[in-house]
């Protein structure tokens, strides 16, 4: 198995996921790299027969990394000359990566970082600011808190890669989880910080959230350096500058200071005798309060005015403070300007100990305001709320639009140096932060392993469809930039529906605003990446997965394990469902990257069926009184069971969880035993047994059942050949009849099906049945329904009506900024067009 870099070779430690065909690799098989590069490996998923389905691998930073690596089996891996080690030390741990020793000790994250035995950094900690009201009410008292680590867990301890998890709280309200990633030979640590919102949005306002470290300063002030990254290069400063003075210190001294080299003796006494008269710049700030600009400032000391430095647009969010011989610290935040408001601070650089802070929420910005966005006037009853749904498409209910329990994850870096690095080295470090290295299996390798169900490589015989698939991805990449879909809570998501009259997306109209995984854009992007290997598609899908898995899902509190339907605020809709917290939307990212945080999100769904006892998603439209009964829970066989099945399958293959396996196989058998299978629409689940009541003889079809990952997870399950022919027959019957004529439906099940919609999306169901049965007429029907807007009982699809997929440039006084418009595109239709096209090309390409 060969893997190549997603975006070119990277000189940094890297972890990736590798698929294996069923039965090819035994559970106890060792892995190595053919060229002898040290490798650490572990299994992340197994096939039902116990063979390896997915493995994860890690290599340390290479001075001259290869463009590709070949993973071989049955060979002992090489070990690093200096492996990374984790050893207990008092009430914490010491991690050694070679030249660097990291001491982890509560209550901070890292108590000391030493390079070659010399302390460079101490007291790496999390800080936050909290206020009790919004800034609009005038000045507020801000309470500063240094977070405390309560638990340290070693998750991996080498020899190539070590992972340490630290859990605690920001004060008394925000739980956090930090992971530190160490690689053999590396001088940097990757930091992931996740916090969960555990406050009252009417009383608690987060005014700052940061990672802070103290840096020991040993050099003379003119040999101390500050670097802050701009769009193309770095602000290059010394604490005591020697350039631009009235008297010249000499060309060599000036050149050495700008390059970060030690200056040594200054030959001109007119300068050397007056060094004490040159101001020392103590504090620096780079403030990125929007995606379009940052402000740089510096000052000589607290209590003195800030001096503005010529600033710029988008900073990569990387900085350095330290000395030419005494060493220093590089620090930064990935997606810095995309996650605004953010800030980099350097304080006390003229003293013995400087402080560097990476702010994930800038204290310069207004405090984070998570109050609900409107008052719900006139929507006191369910009837009135349903009436509101008819006009703004928002499912409103008092008290439900709460952020309590949502989360956000940031990726940061700390890199220690024994001397001030060159500008080229800093530029490389900033690039590694913004676009971390990933080794990836090719689309051909992924396809041959038969993972993730139904997809194929791009098909030149259908270049028109391939062009449209590229058009849609490129359109969303372009829209993210032109519409500025950036910000702390927003980055990674896309909007739901377009408003052609205002030439903007409906960012302010109820349920038409942020998409929140509605109709599976996550899956569409991941499958398009699987088949093309395009790096920009991977990054788009990665950002969406990071957002939707954190912000759109509750991680504690009343609705833990459930997600929120689309809304002006990501948490605003009262519809809390498994279809949004769906494991199907996270698992591809997990298997490709072995990312532990994404693994946490999957583990939160260890018993997903229990979330159905919390709230009835159909409570506003039921005509019969219904209280969720643990022994008779109504479960949709589409959005609900598809999400349950994805979670159970993932737990089974990741952890060998027999309970998840039994519930998956049991409910599959029960669906096959229902008189009308999937056409039944819903069934009652007994939580104590994990089985459905199979006595319901009913037919109820929803156009939403198969657009939240159900076809994708069922295709994977059937590929596993689990010995459940009745389940397969039930699925094929559903696929065959959904788009059949009313006459055929009535002939076969006694009545025509009602509520048939999203016809193009469901063409892939007909294609699946056609491919499994060899039915040429059904295949023809699938292609016709994909291309023609016919038979939809609820909505017409603009993607099928649009003869020319083109962009229109809209500029002038009628728009805020010029934009490229494709008014016929909505995210619902784009995602389902993409999934349908990908599956038709794979199933019935001719």
């Amino acid at each position: 198995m060969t893997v190549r870099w997603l975006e070119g070779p990277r000189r940094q430690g890297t972890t990736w996921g590798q698929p294996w065909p069923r039965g090819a690799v035994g559970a106890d098989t060792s892995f190595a790299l053919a060229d002898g590069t040290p490798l650490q490996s572990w299994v992340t998923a197994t096939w039902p027969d116990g063979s390896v389905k997915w493995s994860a691998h890690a290599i340390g930073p290479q001075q001259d990394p290869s463009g590709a690596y070949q993973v071989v089996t049955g060979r002992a891996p090489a070990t690093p000359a200096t492996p990374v080690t984790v050893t207990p030390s008092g009430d914490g741990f010491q991690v050694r990566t070679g030249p660097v020793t990291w001491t982890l000790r509560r209550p901070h994250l890292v108590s000391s970082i030493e390079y070659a035995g010399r302390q460079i950094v101490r007291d790496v900690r999390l800080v936050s600011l909290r206020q009790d009201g919004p800034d609009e009410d005038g000045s507020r008292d801000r309470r500063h808190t240094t977070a405390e680590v309560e638990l340290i867990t070693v998750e991996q301890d080498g020899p190539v890669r070590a992972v340490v998890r630290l859990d605690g709280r920001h004060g008394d309200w925000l739980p956090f989880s930090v992971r530190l990633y160490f690689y053999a030979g590396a001088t940097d640590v990757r930091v992931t910080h996740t916090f969960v919102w555990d406050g009252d949005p009417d009383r608690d306002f987060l005014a700052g959230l940061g990672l802070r470290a103290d840096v020991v300063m040993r050099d003379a002030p003119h040999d101390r350096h500050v670097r802050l990254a701009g769009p193309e290069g770095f602000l290059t400063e010394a604490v005591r500058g020697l350039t631009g003075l009235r008297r010249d210190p000499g060309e060599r001294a000036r050149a050495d200071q700008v390059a970060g080299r030690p200056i040594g003796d200054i030959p001109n006494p007119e300068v050397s005798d007056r060094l004490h008269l040159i101001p020392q710049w103590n504090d620096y700030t780079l403030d990125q309060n929007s995606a379009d600009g940052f402000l740089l400032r510096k000052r000589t000391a607290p209590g003195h005015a800030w001096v503005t430095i010529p600033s710029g647009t988008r900073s990569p969010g990387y900085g350095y403070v330290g000395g030419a011989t005494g060493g220093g610290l590089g620090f930064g935040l990935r997606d810095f300007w995309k996650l605004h408001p953010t800030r980099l601070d350097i304080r006390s650089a003229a003293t013995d100990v400087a402080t560097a802070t990476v702010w994930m929420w800038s204290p310069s910005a207004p405090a984070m305001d998570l109050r609900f966005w409107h008052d719900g006037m006139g929507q006191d009853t369910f009837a009135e709320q349903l009436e509101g749904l008819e006009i703004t498409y928002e499912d409103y209910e008092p008290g439900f639009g709460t952020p309590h329990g949502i989360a956000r994850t940031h990726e940061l870096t700390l890199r220690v140096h024994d001397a001030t690095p060159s500008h080229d080295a800093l530029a490389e470090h900033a690039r590694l932060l913004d676009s971390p290295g990933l080794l990836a299996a090719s689309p051909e390798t992924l396809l041959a392993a038969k993972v993730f169900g139904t997809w194929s490589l791009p098909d030149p015989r259908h270049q028109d469809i391939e062009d449209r698939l590229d058009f849609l991805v490129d359109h969303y990449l372009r829209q993210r930039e032109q519409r500025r879909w950036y910000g702390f809570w927003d980055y990674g998501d896309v909007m739901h529906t377009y408003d052609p009259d205002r030439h903007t997306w409906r960012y302010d109209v109820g349920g038409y605003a942020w998409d929140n995984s509605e109709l599976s854009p996550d899956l569409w992007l991941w499958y398009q990446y699987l088949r093309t290997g395009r790096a920009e598609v991977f990054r788009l899908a990665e950002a969406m997965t990071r957002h939707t898995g954190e912000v759109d899902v509750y991680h504690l509190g009343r609705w833990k394990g459930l997600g929120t339907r689309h809304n002006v605020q990501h948490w605003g809709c009262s519809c809390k469902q498994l279809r949004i917290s769906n494991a199907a939307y996270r698992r591809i990212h997990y298997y490709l990257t072995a990312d532990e945080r994404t693994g946490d999100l999957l583990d939160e769904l260890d018993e997903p069926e229990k979330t159905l006892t919390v709230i009835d998603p159909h409570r506003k439209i039921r005509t019969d009184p219904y209280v969720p009964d643990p022994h008779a829970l109504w479960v949709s066989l589409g959005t609900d069971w598809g999400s349950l099945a994805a979670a159970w399958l993932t737990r089974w293959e990741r952890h060998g969880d027999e309970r998840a396996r039994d519930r998956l196989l049991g409910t599959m058998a029960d669906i096959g035993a229902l008189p009308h299978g999937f056409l039944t629409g819903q069934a009652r689940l007994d939580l104590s047994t994990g089985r459905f009541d199979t006595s319901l003889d009913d037919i109820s079809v929803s156009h939403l059942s198969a657009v939240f990952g159900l076809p994708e997870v069922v295709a994977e399950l059937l590929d596993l050949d689990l010995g459940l022919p009745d389940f397969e027959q039930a699925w094929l019957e559903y696929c065959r009849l959904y788009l059949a004529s009313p006459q055929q439906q009535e002939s076969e099940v006694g009545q025509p099906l009602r509520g048939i919609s999203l016809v193009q999306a469901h063409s892939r169901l007909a294609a699946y049945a056609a491919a499994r049965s060899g039915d040429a007429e059904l295949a023809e029907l699938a292609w016709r329904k994909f291309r023609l807007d016919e038979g939809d009982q609820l909505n017409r699809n603009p993607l099928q009506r649009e003869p020319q997929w083109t962009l229109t440039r809209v500029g002038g006084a009628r728009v805020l900024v010029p934009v490229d418009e494709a008014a016929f595109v909505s995210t619902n239709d784009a995602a389902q067009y993409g999934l349908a096209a990908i599956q038709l090309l794979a199933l019935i390409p001719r």
Side-chain angles (χ1 to χ4, degrees):
M1 291 290 187
T2 300
V3 289
R4 292 178 173 82
W5 294 96
L6 181 69
E7 296 163 306
R10 298 288 196 270
R11 291 190 291 183
Q12 67 181 151
T14 301
T15 301
W16 75 95
Q18 185 88 30
W20 301 94
R22 185 172 185 169
V25 177
D28 297 326
T29 300
S30 59
F31 300 93
L33 292 181
D35 67 357
T37 300
L39 182 71
Q40 182 173 319
S41 305
W42 60 101
V43 175
T44 52
T46 57
W47 293 97
D49 63 3
S51 62
V52 176
K53 185 175 185 180
W54 284 91
S55 58
H57 307 276
I59 59 173
Q62 309 296 309
Q63 183 61 34
D64 186 19
S66 173
Y69 294 91
Q70 186 179 13
V71 182
V72 297
T73 59
R75 185 192 304 178
T79 57
T82 305
V84 59
T85 60
V86 183
T87 56
S89 174
D91 59 351
F93 296 89
Q94 274 197 343
V95 182
R96 291 183 173 89
T97 61
V100 182
T101 300
W102 316 72
T103 300
L104 317 182
R105 185 170 292 122
R106 296 185 295 122
H108 299 323
L109 302 177
V110 182
S111 63
S112 177
I113 308 175
E114 297 179 1
Y115 193 112
R118 181 174 59 178
Q119 187 182 62
I120 305 295
V121 178
R122 63 193 187 204
D123 293 342
V124 179
R125 67 254 188 216
L126 294 166
V127 294
S128 62
L129 298 170
R130 181 183 185 182
Q131 63 187 48
D132 60 2
D135 293 272
E136 65 195 33
D137 295 343
S139 62
R140 290 281 179 179
D141 289 332
R142 290 184 167 184
R143 287 169 284 166
H144 177 278
T145 298
T146 300
E148 293 194 2
V149 173
E150 299 166 352
L151 179 66
I152 304 178
T153 306
V154 178
E155 295 184 333
Q156 284 189 330
D157 60 359
V160 173
R161 177 187 194 251
V163 182
V164 181
R165 174 171 171 165
L166 305 100
D167 294 280
R169 282 186 173 271
H170 291 274
D172 61 353
W173 66 312
L174 297 181
F176 72 82
S177 176
V178 165
R179 279 189 173 91
L180 304 178
Y181 293 85
F182 305 93
Y183 289 87
T187 59
D188 66 309
V189 60
R190 174 175 173 252
V191 183
T192 62
H193 170 270
T194 300
F195 85 100
V196 182
W197 180 263
D198 192 18
D200 180 341
D202 293 316
R203 296 187 299 108
D204 297 316
F205 295 79
L206 186 63
L209 181 67
L211 177 71
R212 177 170 291 169
D214 294 336
V215 184
V216 180
M217 305 292 280
R218 297 182 174 89
D219 295 80
H222 53 269
D223 276 333
R224 299 181 184 183
H225 305 114
V226 170
R227 304 287 187 262
L228 293 169
E232 296 184 13
F234 283 82
L235 172 73
T236 300
E237 297 270 320
V239 170
R240 182 166 62 199
L242 299 182
T243 64
L245 299 174
R246 186 174 184 183
R247 299 290 181 245
D248 185 8
E251 182 180 356
R252 178 190 56 79
R254 287 185 280 109
D256 285 343
Q257 186 174 69
V258 170
R261 296 186 293 265
I263 292 174
D265 294 334
I266 299 173
N268 186 350
E270 292 185 306
V271 176
S272 60
D273 292 346
R274 296 187 177 105
L275 288 177
H276 64 288
L277 300 177
I278 301 174
Q280 298 182 40
W281 296 98
N282 193 62
D283 303 332
Y284 289 79
T285 287
L286 187 157
D287 218 333
Q288 184 88 49
N289 270 343
S290 78
D292 294 306
F294 62 83
L295 176 65
L296 277 166
R297 296 175 298 158
K298 67 179 182 179
R299 67 182 179 184
T300 56
H304 295 267
W306 289 93
V307 175
T308 300
I309 304 169
S311 304
T313 53
R314 293 172 171 175
S315 168
Y318 194 76
Y320 168 84
V321 61
T325 62
L329 178 69
F331 52 92
L333 171 66
R334 185 184 179 192
D335 294 323
F336 182 77
W337 61 266
K338 299 172 186 174
L339 290 167
H340 66 80
T342 50
R343 195 168 98 179
L344 299 180
D345 279 349
I346 295 171
R347 297 289 185 267
S348 304
T351 71
D352 292 340
V353 179
T355 299
T357 307
V358 182
W359 291 101
M360 294 167 275
W361 184 277
S362 170
S364 308
M368 188 184 294
D369 190 347
L370 302 186
R371 293 173 294 178
F372 192 66
W373 71 285
H374 71 87
D375 60 9
M377 185 178 297
Q379 299 183 61
D380 298 324
T381 67
F382 281 176
E384 291 167 331
Q385 290 160 21
L386 290 173
E387 189 69 15
L389 187 67
E390 290 298 318
I391 188 67
T392 62
Y393 201 37
E394 179 185 33
D395 192 357
Y396 169 79
E397 191 169 336
F400 277 62
T402 176
H404 183 255
I406 66 172
R408 197 46 155 149
T409 291
H410 292 79
E411 299 177 43
L412 307 97
T413 189
L414 299 174
R415 184 184 295 268
V416 290
H417 299 269
D418 62 349
T420 298
S422 69
H423 289 90
D424 288 343
L426 286 169
E428 181 184 25
H429 300 160
R431 183 170 69 101
L432 295 177
L433 170 64
D434 190 55
S435 179
L438 179 68
L439 286 162
S442 67
E444 292 81 3
T445 297
L446 292 163
L447 185 63
K450 297 184 178 179
V451 290
F452 303 134
T454 305
W455 58 280
S456 63
L457 303 178
D459 189 342
R461 295 173 298 178
H462 292 280
Q463 195 58 47
D464 58 333
I465 296 176
E466 297 293 347
D467 289 344
R468 290 185 172 191
L469 288 170
D470 288 338
F471 174 94
L472 290 173
V473 169
D474 293 341
H475 180 60
Y476 278 87
L477 286 167
R478 188 183 302 108
Q479 288 296 289
R480 181 175 67 181
E481 170 61 15
Q482 293 184 350
R483 310 294 179 168
R484 299 301 192 267
W485 290 340
Y486 303 120
F488 186 98
W489 291 113
D490 297 334
Y491 176 60
D493 206 354
V494 298
M495 285 281 168
H496 185 283
T497 307
Y498 197 71
D499 182 349
D501 296 308
R502 288 187 292 170
H503 303 289
T504 187
W505 292 79
R506 304 182 200 178
Y507 68 94
D508 59 348
V509 184
Y512 287 114
W514 292 113
D515 190 73
N516 286 33
S517 295
E518 183 73 357
L519 269 63
S520 305
D522 321 58
L523 282 180
W524 157 49
L525 294 176
W526 280 122
Y527 277 101
Q528 185 63 0
Y529 165 72
L530 293 177
R531 63 197 302 271
T532 65
R534 288 179 58 188
E536 59 269 40
V537 182
F538 179 93
R539 295 303 184 192
L540 186 61
E542 177 188 41
M544 181 174 287
T545 300
R546 189 67 87 193
H547 168 91
T548 58
E550 304 281 9
V551 181
D552 300 344
V553 174
Y554 291 101
H555 308 274
L556 57 77
R558 179 181 178 187
W559 293 305
K560 181 179 179 180
L562 295 172
T564 301
R565 176 182 175 270
H566 40 106
N567 194 257
V568 169
Q569 286 173 308
H570 299 284
W571 50 86
C573 184
S574 74
C575 184
K576 314 296 184 183
Q577 288 198 357
L578 271 174
R579 76 188 201 192
I580 307 302
S581 56
N582 198 336
Y585 298 155
R586 329 281 177 233
R587 60 198 299 271
I588 296 178
H589 178 255
Y590 172 75
Y591 289 131
L592 293 175
T593 65
D595 177 70
E596 279 82 2
R597 176 55 190 167
T598 306
D600 292 344
L601 301 179
L602 295 170
D603 285 339
E604 287 179 1
L605 298 171
D606 58 339
E607 296 182 272
E609 63 275 20
K610 289 186 176 179
T611 62
L612 298 173
T613 65
V614 174
I615 186 172
D616 174 20
H618 302 289
R619 64 196 180 282
K620 296 183 180 181
I621 57 174
R622 287 195 188 276
T623 57
D624 59 315
Y626 171 70
V627 177
D629 178 356
H631 298 290
L633 281 171
W634 278 120
V635 175
S636 155
L637 298 182
T639 57
D640 291 338
W641 185 82
S643 302
L644 292 172
W648 287 329
L649 171 62
T650 306
R651 277 202 70 78
W652 179 20
E653 61 188 10
R654 286 185 65 208
H655 301 299
D657 189 326
E658 294 182 0
R659 180 185 181 279
R661 177 202 61 194
D662 292 346
R663 299 208 163 206
L664 175 62
L665 299 183
T667 53
M668 290 173 68
D670 294 339
I671 291 172
L674 284 166
H676 295 290
F678 278 97
L679 292 170
T680 311
Q682 60 181 347
R684 287 189 180 272
L685 178 71
D686 186 340
L687 283 188
S688 64
T689 64
R691 301 299 295 266
F692 284 132
D693 177 354
T694 61
S695 64
L696 184 62
D697 188 359
D698 193 17
I699 293 178
S700 177
V701 173
S702 169
H703 65 294
L704 296 179
S705 291
V707 292
F708 286 88
L710 181 67
E712 290 74 26
V713 73
V714 170
E716 279 203 62
L717 292 172
L718 293 181
D719 284 347
L720 294 178
D721 193 18
L722 298 170
L724 295 167
D726 291 341
F727 173 83
E728 179 176 0
Q729 186 57 40
W731 178 244
L732 292 177
E733 181 181 40
Y734 187 83
C735 292
R736 186 171 53 81
L737 289 179
Y738 186 92
L739 294 181
S741 68
Q743 294 78 14
Q744 183 181 352
Q745 293 167 349
E746 184 169 13
S747 171
E748 297 204 29
V749 298
Q751 65 184 62
L753 303 180
R754 295 186 297 274
I756 300 300
S757 187
L758 300 175
V759 168
Q760 186 178 68
H762 285 82
S763 66
R764 69 187 191 275
L765 273 65
Y768 190 86
R772 299 285 283 208
S773 65
D775 188 331
E777 290 186 5
L778 189 56
E780 183 180 351
L781 172 72
W783 274 116
R784 190 173 77 248
K785 295 294 187 179
F786 175 78
R787 294 186 180 279
L788 301 177
D789 188 15
E790 63 177 24
D792 198 306
Q793 299 173 10
L794 300 177
N795 301 292
R796 301 189 71 198
N797 185 350
L799 292 188
Q800 288 176 305
R801 298 195 305 272
E802 181 68 24
Q804 299 294 326
W805 285 32
T806 58
L807 296 173
T808 301
R809 186 71 171 177
V810 180
R814 56 182 172 162
V815 292
L816 185 65
V817 294
V819 293
D820 294 305
E821 184 175 84
F824 59 93
V825 174
S826 76
T827 302
N828 278 3
D829 294 330
Q832 288 300 307
Y833 175 92
L835 289 169
I838 289 168
Q839 292 173 44
L840 262 70
L841 292 175
L843 292 163
I844 49 172
R846 291 183 295 178

